[in-house]
Each structure stands twice: as C-alpha cells, then as structure tokens.
Amino acid sequence: MFDDQAGWGASDVFSSGDVVKDAMKKEKIIKDIVAYQDDLRVLLERVKTVERDMDKLSSGNATLQMYIDNLTLQMAKQR
C-alpha cells in the first residue's frame, strides 16, 4: 500500500540524472518555500492586526450601546 522508497528523503521525483540541474531545481524550490513562508508571516501579522482592530471596535460599540441604553432609560424615567 505504501511506497517504502517514498518519504522525506526521497529525491527520485526530481532526479533527472544531471546533478547540477537537480541541485538548481532543489535550490529554486527551497527559495520558493522560503518566499511563501515570508508571505504567510506577512498575512498572519495582517490577520493579527485586523483582529486587534476588531476587538477595539467591538469594545467601542459595547461602550456606545451602554451609553444609548442609559440615555433611553433616563428618557423613559422622565416621562
């Protein structure tokens, strides 16, 4: 069911018989992976920033809602 040759160390997929070409392919793949990781870090930081902004806005909305509720209650008492 499982291929005993496949795994983390398997390099047959990239093997073309030319050591230099194989090394260049692997180097390009590693550079691409590092670039994708950097992109993911940037996106993760953006998500965290948006979450902090959302928390601030939610807190502000709760404060405003409390103010509106208090005003409504005061106006109801005056009638």
Side-chain angles (χ1 to χ4, degrees):
M1 182 168 181
F2 293 105
D3 184 5
D4 291 336
Q5 299 298 324
W8 290 103
S11 62
D12 292 341
V13 175
F14 300 106
S15 182
S16 66
D18 186 352
V19 176
V20 174
K21 283 185 181 179
D22 291 346
M24 290 174 63
K25 286 180 186 177
K26 288 180 183 179
E27 184 177 338
K28 182 185 180 321
I29 290 170
I30 290 170
K31 286 181 180 179
D32 289 345
I33 290 170
V34 169
Y36 295 144
Q37 287 175 333
D38 290 341
D39 291 345
L40 286 173
R41 281 188 194 97
V42 169
L43 287 173
L44 181 60
E45 190 56 41
R46 177 69 180 133
V47 167
K48 289 179 181 179
T49 299
V50 169
E51 285 176 340
R52 285 191 298 268
D53 291 346
M54 188 191 72
D55 289 341
K56 288 178 188 176
L57 291 171
S58 294
S59 175
N61 284 345
T63 302
L64 286 173
Q65 187 61 51
M66 188 183 331
Y67 178 72
I68 290 168
D69 292 344
N70 287 337
L71 283 177
T72 304
L73 186 62
Q74 286 178 4
M75 289 181 71
K77 286 181 181 179
Q78 289 178 358
R79 287 182 179 200

